[in-house]
Amino acid sequence: MLHDPNKVYIFDTTLRDGEQVPGCQLDTGQKVEIAKSLERLGVDVIEAGFPVSSPGDFNSVIELSKAVNDPIICALTRANKNDIDVAADALRYAKRPRIHTGIGASDMHIKTKFNSTREEILARGVEAVKYAKQYVEDVEFYAEDAGRADIQFLAKMIESVIAAGATVVNIPDTNGYCLPDQYGSKILYLKENVKNIDKAIISVHCHNDLGLATANSIAGLQNGARQVECTINGIGERAGNTSMEEVVMILKTHKSLNLHTQINTQGFYNISRHVSQQMHMPVQPNKAIVGGNAFSHSSGIHQDGFLKNRENYEIIKPEDVGFPSAAIVLTARSGRHALKHHLDRLGHNLEKAHLDIVYQQFLILADSKQGIDDHDLNQLVALHLAYK
Protein backbone atom coordinates (compact mmCIF):
# COMPACT_ATOMS: atom_id res chain seq x y z
CA MET A 1 0.00 0.00 0.00
CA LEU A 2 2.86 2.41 0.82
CA HIS A 3 4.71 3.65 -2.25
CA ASP A 4 7.59 4.84 -0.08
CA PRO A 5 8.10 2.75 3.07
CA ASN A 6 10.22 5.51 4.65
CA LYS A 7 7.76 8.36 4.16
CA VAL A 8 5.97 9.61 7.27
CA TYR A 9 2.54 11.08 6.59
CA ILE A 10 1.75 14.25 8.55
CA PHE A 11 -1.85 14.37 9.78
CA ASP A 12 -2.60 17.82 11.16
CA THR A 13 -5.42 18.14 13.69
CA THR A 14 -4.85 21.78 14.68
CA LEU A 15 -8.32 22.64 13.37
CA ARG A 16 -10.06 19.78 15.20
CA ASP A 17 -8.23 18.55 18.31
CA GLY A 18 -6.26 21.79 18.66
CA GLU A 19 -9.38 23.92 18.43
CA GLN A 20 -10.99 22.09 21.36
CA VAL A 21 -8.93 24.20 23.75
CA PRO A 22 -11.17 26.66 25.68
CA GLY A 23 -10.85 30.12 24.16
CA CYS A 24 -9.26 28.90 20.94
CA GLN A 25 -12.38 28.54 18.80
CA LEU A 26 -12.04 29.75 15.22
CA ASP A 27 -14.64 30.86 12.72
CA THR A 28 -14.85 29.28 9.27
CA GLY A 29 -12.84 32.05 7.60
CA GLN A 30 -9.99 31.66 10.06
CA LYS A 31 -10.02 27.88 9.62
CA VAL A 32 -9.83 28.22 5.83
CA GLU A 33 -6.90 30.64 6.15
CA ILE A 34 -4.97 28.25 8.42
CA ALA A 35 -5.85 25.27 6.19
CA LYS A 36 -4.31 27.04 3.18
CA SER A 37 -1.16 27.68 5.24
CA LEU A 38 -1.07 23.99 6.17
CA GLU A 39 -1.41 23.08 2.50
CA ARG A 40 1.55 25.33 1.64
CA LEU A 41 3.50 23.72 4.48
CA GLY A 42 2.99 20.35 2.79
CA VAL A 43 0.81 18.42 5.26
CA ASP A 44 -0.67 15.18 3.92
CA VAL A 45 -3.95 15.21 5.87
CA ILE A 46 -5.97 18.03 7.44
CA GLU A 47 -8.52 16.99 10.04
CA ALA A 48 -11.04 19.74 9.36
CA GLY A 49 -13.49 19.14 12.16
CA PHE A 50 -16.17 17.01 13.84
CA PRO A 51 -19.16 17.82 11.59
CA VAL A 52 -21.96 16.45 13.78
CA SER A 53 -20.80 18.51 16.79
CA SER A 54 -22.14 21.87 15.56
CA PRO A 55 -23.44 23.67 12.44
CA GLY A 56 -20.26 25.75 12.49
CA ASP A 57 -18.02 22.68 12.36
CA PHE A 58 -20.17 21.17 9.60
CA ASN A 59 -19.85 24.36 7.54
CA SER A 60 -16.10 24.59 8.17
CA VAL A 61 -15.54 21.09 6.76
CA ILE A 62 -17.54 22.04 3.65
CA GLU A 63 -15.61 25.28 3.09
CA LEU A 64 -12.20 23.68 3.76
CA SER A 65 -13.05 20.96 1.27
CA LYS A 66 -13.68 23.63 -1.37
CA ALA A 67 -10.61 25.72 -0.53
CA VAL A 68 -7.91 23.04 -0.31
CA ASN A 69 -6.74 20.84 -3.20
CA ASP A 70 -3.74 18.70 -2.29
CA PRO A 71 -4.15 17.37 1.27
CA ILE A 72 -6.68 14.72 2.24
CA ILE A 73 -9.57 16.37 4.12
CA CYS A 74 -10.62 14.31 7.10
CA ALA A 75 -13.78 14.52 9.24
CA LEU A 76 -14.12 12.95 12.68
CA THR A 77 -17.07 10.82 13.81
CA ARG A 78 -18.08 8.50 16.60
CA ALA A 79 -18.97 4.92 15.71
CA ASN A 80 -22.59 5.57 14.79
CA LYS A 81 -24.45 5.95 11.52
CA ASN A 82 -25.74 9.48 12.05
CA ASP A 83 -22.25 10.86 12.72
CA ILE A 84 -20.97 9.13 9.59
CA ASP A 85 -23.89 10.34 7.45
CA VAL A 86 -23.26 13.94 8.54
CA ALA A 87 -19.50 13.65 7.97
CA ALA A 88 -19.98 12.23 4.48
CA ASP A 89 -22.33 15.10 3.66
CA ALA A 90 -19.82 17.68 4.94
CA LEU A 91 -17.06 16.07 2.82
CA ARG A 92 -19.05 16.14 -0.42
CA TYR A 93 -16.76 18.75 -2.04
CA ALA A 94 -13.48 17.23 -0.84
CA LYS A 95 -11.12 16.15 -3.63
CA ARG A 96 -9.64 13.48 -1.34
CA PRO A 97 -12.11 12.75 1.49
CA ARG A 98 -11.42 10.62 4.59
CA ILE A 99 -13.81 9.63 7.37
CA HIS A 100 -12.16 9.13 10.77
CA THR A 101 -14.35 6.92 12.93
CA GLY A 102 -13.69 4.84 16.01
CA ILE A 103 -14.49 3.77 19.53
CA GLY A 104 -12.83 3.08 22.90
CA ALA A 105 -10.42 0.17 23.11
CA SER A 106 -9.42 0.09 26.79
CA ASP A 107 -11.42 -1.83 29.39
CA MET A 108 -11.69 1.46 31.31
CA HIS A 109 -13.54 3.08 28.39
CA ILE A 110 -15.52 -0.03 27.50
CA LYS A 111 -16.86 -0.46 31.02
CA THR A 112 -17.13 3.06 32.43
CA LYS A 113 -17.68 5.17 29.30
CA PHE A 114 -19.77 2.80 27.17
CA ASN A 115 -21.10 0.41 29.85
CA SER A 116 -20.51 -2.33 27.31
CA THR A 117 -18.45 -5.44 26.60
CA ARG A 118 -15.41 -6.09 24.44
CA GLU A 119 -17.53 -8.13 22.01
CA GLU A 120 -20.14 -5.39 21.57
CA ILE A 121 -17.53 -2.68 21.15
CA LEU A 122 -15.66 -4.73 18.57
CA ALA A 123 -18.87 -5.26 16.59
CA ARG A 124 -19.69 -1.54 16.71
CA GLY A 125 -16.22 -0.62 15.47
CA VAL A 126 -16.41 -3.04 12.55
CA GLU A 127 -19.92 -1.87 11.64
CA ALA A 128 -18.83 1.78 11.67
CA VAL A 129 -15.93 1.11 9.29
CA LYS A 130 -18.14 -0.87 6.90
CA TYR A 131 -20.76 1.88 6.96
CA ALA A 132 -18.20 4.66 6.33
CA LYS A 133 -16.70 2.60 3.51
CA GLN A 134 -19.97 2.98 1.59
CA TYR A 135 -19.26 6.71 1.35
CA VAL A 136 -15.47 6.94 0.95
CA GLU A 137 -12.62 4.63 0.06
CA ASP A 138 -10.30 6.15 2.67
CA VAL A 139 -11.47 5.24 6.19
CA GLU A 140 -9.36 5.76 9.30
CA PHE A 141 -10.26 3.94 12.51
CA TYR A 142 -9.23 5.20 15.96
CA ALA A 143 -9.00 2.81 18.91
CA GLU A 144 -9.46 5.38 21.66
CA ASP A 145 -7.30 4.97 24.78
CA ALA A 146 -5.22 2.32 22.99
CA GLY A 147 -2.35 3.36 25.27
CA ARG A 148 -4.10 1.62 28.18
CA ALA A 149 -5.80 -1.15 26.18
CA ASP A 150 -5.13 -4.87 26.54
CA ILE A 151 -2.68 -5.58 23.73
CA GLN A 152 -4.27 -8.83 22.56
CA PHE A 153 -7.74 -7.31 22.40
CA LEU A 154 -6.30 -4.25 20.64
CA ALA A 155 -4.66 -6.50 18.04
CA LYS A 156 -7.96 -8.30 17.48
CA MET A 157 -9.78 -4.99 17.06
CA ILE A 158 -7.21 -3.65 14.58
CA GLU A 159 -7.26 -6.87 12.54
CA SER A 160 -11.07 -6.79 12.42
CA VAL A 161 -11.39 -3.16 11.30
CA ILE A 162 -8.73 -3.60 8.59
CA ALA A 163 -10.68 -6.61 7.34
CA ALA A 164 -13.77 -4.36 7.31
CA GLY A 165 -11.97 -1.84 5.08
CA ALA A 166 -9.96 0.56 7.26
CA THR A 167 -7.04 2.04 5.34
CA VAL A 168 -5.45 3.75 8.38
CA VAL A 169 -5.49 2.51 11.98
CA ASN A 170 -4.93 5.12 14.68
CA ILE A 171 -3.43 3.92 17.98
CA PRO A 172 -3.98 6.88 20.33
CA ASP A 173 -2.30 7.39 23.67
CA THR A 174 -5.38 9.42 24.54
CA ASN A 175 -4.32 10.31 28.06
CA GLY A 176 -0.59 10.69 27.47
CA TYR A 177 0.00 7.76 29.83
CA CYS A 178 2.57 5.59 28.05
CA LEU A 179 6.33 5.65 28.39
CA PRO A 180 8.11 5.68 24.99
CA ASP A 181 9.31 2.07 25.26
CA GLN A 182 5.80 0.92 26.20
CA TYR A 183 4.17 2.77 23.34
CA GLY A 184 6.82 1.67 20.84
CA SER A 185 6.39 -1.94 21.96
CA LYS A 186 2.63 -1.65 21.45
CA ILE A 187 3.11 -0.50 17.86
CA LEU A 188 5.67 -3.25 17.21
CA TYR A 189 3.32 -5.89 18.63
CA LEU A 190 0.60 -4.80 16.20
CA LYS A 191 3.09 -4.74 13.34
CA GLU A 192 4.19 -8.32 14.10
CA ASN A 193 0.90 -9.91 15.22
CA VAL A 194 -1.89 -8.40 13.09
CA LYS A 195 -1.81 -10.57 9.98
CA ASN A 196 -3.37 -7.97 7.64
CA ILE A 197 -1.46 -4.97 9.03
CA ASP A 198 0.30 -4.47 5.69
CA LYS A 199 -3.06 -3.39 4.23
CA ALA A 200 -3.22 -0.26 6.42
CA ILE A 201 -1.02 2.59 7.64
CA ILE A 202 -0.44 2.66 11.41
CA SER A 203 -0.99 6.13 12.83
CA VAL A 204 0.18 7.54 16.17
CA HIS A 205 -1.85 10.11 18.09
CA CYS A 206 -0.14 11.03 21.36
CA HIS A 207 -1.13 13.50 24.06
CA ASN A 208 1.29 15.44 26.23
CA ASP A 209 -0.09 14.97 29.78
CA LEU A 210 3.32 13.77 31.02
CA GLY A 211 5.36 15.70 28.47
CA LEU A 212 5.99 12.57 26.38
CA ALA A 213 3.88 13.16 23.26
CA THR A 214 6.80 13.80 20.91
CA ALA A 215 8.94 11.02 22.40
CA ASN A 216 6.06 8.53 22.15
CA SER A 217 5.31 9.53 18.56
CA ILE A 218 8.95 9.00 17.56
CA ALA A 219 8.96 5.62 19.37
CA GLY A 220 5.88 4.67 17.34
CA LEU A 221 7.58 5.63 14.08
CA GLN A 222 10.71 3.68 15.02
CA ASN A 223 8.53 0.61 15.43
CA GLY A 224 6.57 0.77 12.20
CA ALA A 225 3.97 3.56 12.35
CA ARG A 226 3.98 5.82 9.29
CA GLN A 227 1.47 8.55 10.10
CA VAL A 228 1.78 11.10 12.91
CA GLU A 229 -1.24 13.04 14.20
CA CYS A 230 -0.07 16.40 15.47
CA THR A 231 -0.76 20.11 15.80
CA ILE A 232 1.09 23.37 15.21
CA ASN A 233 2.72 24.48 18.50
CA GLY A 234 1.49 21.23 20.11
CA ILE A 235 -1.84 22.85 21.00
CA GLY A 236 -4.70 20.64 22.12
CA GLU A 237 -6.84 19.62 25.05
CA ARG A 238 -5.30 19.58 28.55
CA ALA A 239 -1.50 19.60 28.10
CA GLY A 240 -1.77 19.45 24.32
CA ASN A 241 -1.01 17.15 21.39
CA THR A 242 2.17 16.10 19.67
CA SER A 243 3.95 19.12 18.21
CA MET A 244 4.30 18.86 14.44
CA GLU A 245 7.43 20.99 14.26
CA GLU A 246 9.20 18.86 16.88
CA VAL A 247 8.49 15.52 15.18
CA VAL A 248 9.39 16.78 11.71
CA MET A 249 12.66 18.37 12.83
CA ILE A 250 13.64 15.25 14.80
CA LEU A 251 13.25 13.19 11.63
CA LYS A 252 15.17 15.80 9.63
CA THR A 253 17.98 16.04 12.20
CA HIS A 254 18.37 12.31 12.88
CA LYS A 255 19.17 11.02 9.40
CA SER A 256 19.91 7.57 10.84
CA LEU A 257 16.17 7.02 11.36
CA ASN A 258 15.89 6.95 7.55
CA LEU A 259 12.44 8.54 7.73
CA HIS A 260 11.27 11.69 5.97
CA THR A 261 8.24 13.93 5.44
CA GLN A 262 7.21 16.29 2.66
CA ILE A 263 6.97 19.26 5.02
CA ASN A 264 8.53 22.58 3.98
CA THR A 265 10.13 23.22 7.35
CA GLN A 266 11.02 26.84 6.49
CA GLY A 267 7.34 27.65 6.98
CA PHE A 268 7.27 26.62 10.65
CA TYR A 269 8.06 29.99 12.22
CA ASN A 270 5.38 31.89 10.30
CA ILE A 271 2.62 29.32 10.72
CA SER A 272 3.46 29.02 14.43
CA ARG A 273 2.97 32.77 14.86
CA HIS A 274 -0.18 32.73 12.72
CA VAL A 275 -1.85 29.93 14.72
CA SER A 276 -0.77 31.53 18.00
CA GLN A 277 -2.35 34.85 17.04
CA GLN A 278 -5.56 33.41 15.61
CA MET A 279 -6.14 31.14 18.61
CA HIS A 280 -4.95 33.64 21.25
CA MET A 281 -2.60 30.94 22.53
CA PRO A 282 0.91 32.31 23.29
CA VAL A 283 3.94 30.17 22.45
CA GLN A 284 6.13 29.72 25.51
CA PRO A 285 9.55 31.35 24.95
CA ASN A 286 11.46 28.10 25.59
CA LYS A 287 9.24 26.01 23.27
CA ALA A 288 11.39 23.75 21.08
CA ILE A 289 11.85 24.83 17.43
CA VAL A 290 9.51 27.86 17.39
CA GLY A 291 9.79 29.48 20.83
CA GLY A 292 11.16 33.02 20.99
CA ASN A 293 14.29 31.80 22.81
CA ALA A 294 14.84 28.65 20.71
CA PHE A 295 17.87 30.20 19.03
CA SER A 296 18.97 32.66 21.72
CA HIS A 297 22.30 32.38 23.51
CA SER A 298 23.00 34.30 26.72
CA SER A 299 25.58 32.23 28.60
CA GLY A 300 29.09 33.55 28.02
CA ILE A 301 30.54 30.06 27.53
CA HIS A 302 27.81 29.21 25.00
CA GLN A 303 28.18 32.53 23.20
CA ASP A 304 31.92 32.07 22.85
CA GLY A 305 31.49 28.56 21.47
CA PHE A 306 28.66 29.62 19.17
CA LEU A 307 30.63 32.53 17.71
CA LYS A 308 33.58 30.23 17.01
CA ASN A 309 31.37 27.56 15.39
CA ARG A 310 27.57 27.66 15.31
CA GLU A 311 27.35 23.87 15.62
CA ASN A 312 28.92 23.98 19.07
CA TYR A 313 25.51 25.00 20.43
CA GLU A 314 23.00 24.69 17.58
CA ILE A 315 21.91 21.43 15.97
CA ILE A 316 19.29 23.17 13.82
CA LYS A 317 19.86 26.24 11.66
CA PRO A 318 17.32 29.00 12.41
CA GLU A 319 16.73 29.46 8.67
CA ASP A 320 15.72 25.78 8.35
CA VAL A 321 12.54 26.56 10.30
CA GLY A 322 12.08 30.11 8.99
CA PHE A 323 13.39 31.73 12.17
CA PRO A 324 14.70 35.26 11.53
CA SER A 325 18.18 34.55 12.99
CA ALA A 326 20.05 33.25 15.98
CA ALA A 327 20.42 35.84 18.73
CA ILE A 328 23.37 36.57 20.96
CA VAL A 329 21.52 38.03 23.94
CA LEU A 330 23.57 40.26 26.21
CA THR A 331 23.11 39.67 29.93
CA ALA A 332 25.34 39.68 33.00
CA ARG A 333 26.26 36.10 32.02
CA SER A 334 27.72 37.19 28.68
CA GLY A 335 31.44 37.25 27.96
CA ARG A 336 33.84 39.60 26.17
CA HIS A 337 33.46 37.67 22.90
CA ALA A 338 29.72 38.33 22.79
CA LEU A 339 30.14 41.99 23.72
CA LYS A 340 32.79 42.46 21.01
CA HIS A 341 30.48 40.77 18.49
CA HIS A 342 27.76 43.35 19.14
CA LEU A 343 30.13 46.32 19.34
CA ASP A 344 31.68 45.33 16.00
CA ARG A 345 28.18 45.01 14.55
CA LEU A 346 27.47 48.59 15.67
CA GLY A 347 30.75 49.85 14.17
CA HIS A 348 32.69 50.22 17.46
CA ASN A 349 36.02 48.50 16.78
CA LEU A 350 37.70 48.86 20.17
CA GLU A 351 41.24 47.83 20.98
CA LYS A 352 41.63 45.17 23.67
CA ALA A 353 42.47 47.60 26.49
CA HIS A 354 39.42 49.74 25.75
CA LEU A 355 37.22 46.66 25.30
CA ASP A 356 38.27 45.45 28.77
CA ILE A 357 37.19 48.73 30.36
CA VAL A 358 33.88 48.84 28.48
CA TYR A 359 33.29 45.21 29.44
CA GLN A 360 33.61 46.00 33.15
CA GLN A 361 31.13 48.89 32.77
CA PHE A 362 28.87 46.57 30.75
CA LEU A 363 28.80 44.01 33.59
CA ILE A 364 27.78 46.66 36.13
CA LEU A 365 24.93 47.79 33.85
CA ALA A 366 23.90 44.22 32.99
CA ASP A 367 23.57 43.35 36.69
CA SER A 368 20.94 46.06 37.01
CA LYS A 369 19.01 45.36 33.78
CA GLN A 370 17.28 42.26 32.37
CA GLY A 371 18.65 42.84 28.90
CA ILE A 372 21.13 45.13 27.16
CA ASP A 373 20.08 46.72 23.86
CA ASP A 374 21.92 48.64 21.14
CA HIS A 375 21.13 51.99 22.76
CA ASP A 376 22.84 50.83 25.99
CA LEU A 377 25.93 49.71 24.07
CA ASN A 378 26.21 53.01 22.22
CA GLN A 379 25.91 54.86 25.53
CA LEU A 380 28.63 52.72 27.16
CA VAL A 381 31.06 53.39 24.31
CA ALA A 382 30.24 57.11 24.26
CA LEU A 383 30.88 57.42 28.01
CA HIS A 384 34.16 55.52 27.73
CA LEU A 385 35.40 57.67 24.86
CA ALA A 386 34.40 60.82 26.74
CA TYR A 387 36.52 59.88 29.76
CA LYS A 388 39.49 58.06 28.24
Side-chain angles (χ1 to χ4, degrees), residues 7-10 36-45 70-71 244 261-265:
K7 179 183 176 179
V8 173
Y9 293 84
I10 299 299
K36 287 180 175 178
S37 295
L38 290 168
E39 181 175 32
R40 288 191 294 272
L41 196 67
V43 304
D44 300 283
V45 187
D70 295 330
M244 183 202 296
T261 72
Q262 65 174 28
I263 296 297
N264 172 22
T265 63

Side-chain angles (χ1 to χ4, degrees), residues 57-357:
D57 241 28
F58 179 85
N59 187 54
S60 290
V61 176
I62 286 179
E63 294 307 317
L64 258 72
S65 297
K66 292 177 181 175
V68 172
N69 293 312
D70 295 330
I72 292 166
I73 299 296
C74 180
L76 185 74
T77 82
R78 293 163 297 187
N80 68 59
K81 291 183 177 179
N82 182 58
D83 277 25
I84 294 167
D85 288 337
V86 173
D89 189 21
L91 287 167
R92 62 185 181 271
Y93 296 110
K95 290 82 175 172
R96 301 171 67 199
R98 175 184 293 180
I99 291 175
H100 190 189
T101 192
I103 201 162
S106 68
D107 287 332
M108 169 98 57
H109 278 219
I110 291 168
K111 289 170 184 172
T112 66
K113 182 177 172 181
F114 295 101
N115 190 26
S116 188
T117 65
R118 286 182 176 183
E119 292 69 31
E120 287 177 8
I121 290 294
L122 190 61
R124 284 174 63 181
V126 167
E127 184 183 8
V129 171
K130 286 181 177 176
Y131 192 72
K133 199 77 173 175
Q134 296 177 84
Y135 286 114
V136 295
E137 178 56 36
D138 191 6
V139 176
E140 178 170 343
F141 178 84
Y142 63 84
E144 191 176 7
D145 202 24
R148 295 189 294 178
D150 174 77
I151 190 62
Q152 291 175 323
F153 174 68
L154 180 62
K156 185 178 180 182
M157 176 181 268
I158 296 305
E159 191 168 303
S160 299
V161 297
I162 293 173
T167 49
V168 181
V169 286
N170 177 10
I171 315 300
D173 185 23
T174 305
N175 298 288
Y177 174 75
C178 290
L179 295 171
D181 66 317
Q182 295 170 335
Y183 188 71
S185 296
K186 192 156 281 203
I187 300 299
L188 185 61
Y189 183 91
L190 297 175
K191 191 80 178 163
E192 292 180 342
N193 292 278
V194 174
K195 65 175 185 284
N196 55 1
I197 198 70
D198 61 316
K199 292 183 167 56
I201 296 170
I202 301 176
S203 184
V204 294
H205 180 116
C206 299
H207 281 260
N208 206 38
D209 297 71
L210 292 173
L212 292 169
T214 295
N216 283 337
S217 295
I218 294 296
L221 294 177
Q222 287 176 299
N223 284 281
R226 287 296 178 267
Q227 178 177 282
V228 180
E229 310 200 359
C230 47
T231 62
I232 298 298
N233 299 334
I235 63 168
E237 288 194 275
R238 306 185 313 279
N241 287 52
T242 302
S243 163
M244 183 202 296
E245 56 276 9
E246 291 173 16
V247 168
V248 170
M249 292 311 294
I250 287 169
L251 299 186
K252 189 168 183 174
T253 302
H254 287 272
K255 308 287 188 194
S256 62
L257 293 172
N258 198 26
L259 298 172
H260 62 88
T261 72
Q262 65 174 28
I263 296 297
N264 172 22
T265 63
Q266 292 177 336
F268 275 143
Y269 181 81
N270 283 339
I271 197 169
S272 167
R273 295 301 180 274
H274 184 202
V275 168
S276 173
Q277 289 162 5
Q278 294 294 314
M279 291 189 163
H280 308 291
M281 178 68 89
V283 178
Q284 67 195 61
N286 63 327
K287 165 78 174 65
I289 314 301
V290 292
N293 290 345
F295 297 95
S296 294
H297 307 273
S298 65
S299 156
I301 295 170
H302 285 210
Q303 290 173 336
D304 181 64
F306 173 82
L307 289 167
K308 287 172 178 170
N309 179 357
R310 179 193 64 80
E311 292 183 17
N312 278 324
Y313 288 100
E314 279 187 4
I315 58 169
I316 299 167
K317 294 178 182 176
E319 57 267 28
D320 285 349
V321 295
F323 215 91
S325 65
I328 300 294
V329 181
L330 291 176
T331 71
R333 307 286 85 76
S334 299
R336 283 176 177 76
H337 200 173
L339 178 62
K340 185 178 187 307
H341 166 78
H342 279 287
L343 292 176
D344 287 349
R345 177 177 61 79
L346 293 171
H348 304 301
N349 300 304
L350 300 182
E351 295 175 9
K352 184 178 183 305
H354 295 302
L355 176 65
D356 288 345
I357 295 168

